[in-house]
Amino acid sequence: MSGRGRYTWADGKIYDGEWYGNSMHGQGRFDWPDGKMYLGRFEHDKKHGYGEFTYPSGQVYKGHFEYGKRHGRGDVYDPNTLMWADTIWKDGDKV
């Protein structure tokens, strides 16, 4: 599949966005049945580039991803403190 489209997996996950060669590639939105949601760039089925990831708890990460992991500068919102924190990530780990 190439172009724009929507796919729903049997387990309830949904992707709506750009496809290239049967891979999520470009701008899109991915929803999980448990309430997680990612809106941003994909490259070869992985979060890659700028995106926003929202958790069921209300925590939000707005920043960069590299091959599916948080990488580079990003902001994290904590709904318990109602504050944003500027963070740096490398390969999914906070540095």
Side-chain angles (χ1 to χ4, degrees):
M1 174 190 303
S2 290
R4 184 155 186 84
R6 179 182 174 108
Y7 185 82
T8 302
W9 281 262
D11 63 3
K13 293 183 280 195
I14 300 168
Y15 174 73
D16 188 2
E18 296 173 334
W19 296 84
Y20 181 75
N22 291 327
S23 293
M24 297 178 291
H25 197 88
Q27 189 69 25
R29 176 179 170 149
F30 198 102
D31 291 277
W32 285 260
D34 65 2
K36 291 183 290 203
M37 188 272 294
Y38 173 77
L39 179 65
R41 303 282 308 165
F42 288 84
E43 189 170 305
H44 304 292
D45 289 333
K46 303 231 184 256
K47 298 180 289 291
H48 192 81
Y50 181 83
E52 299 179 9
F53 197 103
T54 304
Y55 295 86
S57 67
Q59 184 184 62
V60 178
Y61 171 78
K62 293 183 178 187
H64 293 276
F65 291 83
E66 190 169 285
Y67 303 110
K69 297 179 180 179
R70 295 178 187 187
H71 192 86
R73 185 169 297 280
D75 293 317
V76 176
Y77 174 74
D78 182 342
N80 297 314
T81 63
L82 304 177
M83 296 182 71
W84 286 92
D86 183 24
T87 56
I88 304 291
W89 299 82
K90 183 173 180 170
D91 295 325
D93 295 319
K94 193 172 165 185
V95 292

